[in-house]
Amino acid sequence: MTLLAVERMKLVSTRSPWWCAALALLLTTGFAALMAATAVPEVPLTVASTQFGYRFGMTVVMVMAALAVTTEYRFGTIRASFLGSPGRTGTLVAKAAVVAVVALVLGELAGFGSWGIAKLVDPGADLALQTAYEWRAVAGVGLVYAAAAVLAVGVGAIVRHTAGAVSVLLIWSFLVEGLVQLVPRVGDDVFRWLPFNVADKFITGDPDPSARDVVYGPPPADAVLGPWPALAYFAGIAAVVLAAAVVAVNRRDA
C-alpha cells in the first residue's frame, strides 16, 4: 500500500498527467460534439459514433502512462524509487496499477462524457443504452484505456526514453498495424490478431442486433475473438509487456 501511495503522489504532483487528462477528454468529447453537429438523416448519430474519438484519447492516455516512467529516468529519480523499496518489481507494478486506475477513470469520463455531449448537441438522436453492445461502446472505454496504460508503462520501462517510447506506441498503433494488411496472403490474417485491432473489437465489433449501423462510428474491428475474449487478449498482451519490462528493469542498471 505504501508503494501505491508513493506512486499516486508522484503521478498527481506533476503537470504532465493533468495536461494529458485534459487533452484526452477534450479530444474524445470534441469528436463526439462534431459527430453530433454534422449528423444528417442519411448518416444518423448513433451510440457508436459518439465514441468516434476514443482511439485518440487512448493515444494520449498511453503517452501519459509512458511519461510516468520515462520522466523518472530522465531526471534520475528512478534510482531513489528503486532504493526506497525492497525490489524493483514492486515499484514498477505499483506504478502500472496506479496509472491503470487513472486511465480507467479517464476512460469512463471520456466514454460517458462523449455520449452526454452528443446527446446535448443533438437531443433528438436515439442514444439510449439498451443493448450489451451499446453499453460496451460507452462503459467499455475505461477498461480498454486501463489495459493500454499498463502496456504503455511496460514500453516506457523497456525503452526508458520519452521520445522512443512515445514513438513506439504511436507508430505501432497508428501505422504498423495498418501496414500489416498490405503483406500479401497473410497480412489480413495477422492483422486480426494485432493488439489494438483486437481491442477495437471490444468497443466496436460484434454488436448485438439493433437498428443502429456501427459503420457510422469507429470502423468495426474484424478480429476473430468475441468482445470479452478480445478484451482479455489485449489485457494479456499488456501483462506480457509489463512482465518483460520487469525482467529488463531488474537486469539493467537504473
Side-chain angles (χ1 to χ4, degrees):
M1 295 300 293
T2 302
L3 286 176
L4 292 174
V6 170
E7 293 301 329
R8 177 185 57 81
M9 287 187 290
K10 285 193 291 186
L11 186 66
V12 301
S13 62
T14 56
R15 294 181 180 179
S16 58
W18 295 101
W19 282 108
C20 288
L23 181 58
L25 294 176
L26 180 63
L27 283 172
T28 51
T29 57
F31 272 107
L34 180 63
M35 295 297 291
T38 57
V40 294
E42 294 77 15
V43 185
L45 182 67
T46 67
V47 173
S49 59
T50 65
Q51 305 304 315
F52 192 80
Y54 106 93
R55 262 288 196 118
F56 298 98
M58 182 174 66
T59 300
V60 179
V61 168
M62 289 194 297
V63 171
M64 178 194 72
L67 285 172
V69 181
T70 59
T71 300
E72 287 208 61
Y73 276 104
R74 178 185 176 187
F75 294 104
T77 56
I78 194 70
R79 298 185 183 90
S81 297
F82 288 154
L83 289 173
S85 63
R88 297 181 178 185
T89 300
T91 299
L92 190 59
V93 171
K95 188 182 294 291
V98 169
V99 173
V101 171
V102 172
L104 174 65
V105 173
L106 281 177
E108 295 304 316
L109 291 175
F112 282 99
S114 297
W115 175 75
I117 288 291
K119 188 65 175 177
L120 287 176
V121 175
D122 188 359
D126 183 6
L127 299 180
L129 301 179
Q130 297 175 333
T131 67
Y133 158 67
E134 289 162 341
W135 277 103
R136 286 198 311 271
V138 178
V141 174
L143 298 176
V144 175
Y145 279 17
V150 172
L151 187 151
V153 168
V155 171
I158 293 171
V159 178
R160 302 206 290 187
H161 298 286
T162 299
V166 171
S167 297
V168 168
L169 293 168
L170 297 186
I171 291 174
W172 182 271
S173 60
F174 281 107
L175 184 62
V176 172
E177 290 201 358
L179 291 178
V180 167
Q181 293 178 285
L182 302 179
V183 178
R185 297 184 181 179
V186 300
D188 289 336
D189 293 332
V190 173
F191 177 70
R192 292 187 180 97
W193 291 97
L194 294 180
F196 290 100
N197 179 53
V198 174
D200 287 344
K201 186 65 174 280
F202 180 69
I203 301 294
T204 68
D206 194 21
D208 294 341
S210 70
R212 300 168 180 81
D213 192 345
V214 295
V215 300
Y216 297 133
D222 59 353
V224 297
L225 299 173
W228 286 102
L231 178 64
Y233 177 85
F234 185 58
I237 289 179
V240 169
V241 173
L242 182 63
V246 168
V247 173
V249 163
N250 281 286
R251 288 185 175 180
R252 296 186 303 195
D253 293 334

